[in-house]
């Protein structure tokens, strides 16, 4: 069994959860925040049998879109963002489709 940890954009979450549920996968949704943009995103935990992993990855790939975002958050500007008297400037980044980690599961129990 594998645990898929998928960090996705909030805009894609509802469709992705619906698609996963429709295909019979269990999903847990966590509200999370990206360290770089300091903006909300969503982390999904999906436990899946090994033979279904590619199907889950396919659904994630199909649903999650790349989007451009502009930020002036200090974390995105390095030391420039924190220097007194220096004005911040916008930085454009491409976010997504999805950041996915796949972990092997030692044990899965429901007690
Ligand atoms: P954030 O950390 O808010 O990052 C949003 C986007 O900013 C990233 O999109 C990437 O395009 C850009 N970015 C991040 N760090 C950067 C840096 N040091 N320099 C320049 N640009 C940078 P994605 O790569 O699609 O990541 C989307 C979200 O996935 C991230 O939001 C974070 O919450 C998560 N993530 C990405 N890589 C991760 C990792 N290695 N470990 C844990 N979470 C990760």
């Amino acid at each position: 069994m594998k645990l898929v940890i998928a960090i996705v954009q909030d805009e894609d979450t509802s469709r992705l959860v619906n698609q996963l549920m429709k295909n019979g996968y269990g999903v847990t949704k966590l509200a999370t925040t990206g360290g770089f943009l300091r903006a909300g995103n969503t982390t999904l935990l999906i436990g899946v049998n090994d033979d279904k992993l590619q199907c889950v990855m396919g659904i994630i790939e199909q649903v999650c879109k790349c989007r451009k975002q502009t930020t002036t958050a200090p974390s995105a500007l390095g030391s420039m963002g924190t220097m007194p008297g220096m004005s911040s400037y916008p930085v454009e980044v491409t976010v997504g489709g999805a950041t996915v980690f796949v972990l092997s599961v030692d044990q899965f129990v429901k007690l």
Side-chain angles (χ1 to χ4, degrees):
M1 186 176 208
K2 303 286 190 238
L3 176 65
V4 178
I5 301 175
I7 304 163
V8 304
Q9 295 169 79
D10 289 345
E11 294 91 328
D12 295 325
T13 302
S14 174
R15 244 187 95 219
L16 181 56
V17 171
N18 286 343
Q19 284 296 320
L20 291 166
M21 297 293 292
K22 208 167 85 182
N23 285 275
Y25 299 110
V27 184
T28 295
K29 189 177 117 178
L30 306 172
T32 46
T33 303
F36 190 70
L37 293 179
R38 308 283 166 94
N41 54 26
T42 300
T43 299
L44 299 180
L45 306 180
I46 310 151
V48 62
N49 287 327
D50 289 20
D51 59 328
K52 300 287 187 195
L53 177 63
Q54 284 318 310
C55 176
V56 166
M57 298 294 266
I59 293 171
I60 295 170
E61 193 174 6
Q62 210 174 42
V63 172
C64 295
K65 306 291 178 213
C66 287
R67 293 184 184 86
K68 292 208 184 302
Q69 287 194 29
T70 305
T71 179
T72 51
S75 65
L77 304 175
S79 59
M80 293 289 279
T82 55
M83 280 171 71
M86 294 288 273
S87 56
S88 59
Y89 57 90
V91 173
E92 187 181 76
V93 292
T94 302
V95 187
T99 300
V100 182
F101 300 87
V102 179
L103 285 67
S104 292
V105 174
D106 283 342
Q107 205 179 4
F108 172 64
V109 283
K110 289 185 179 180
L111 301 173

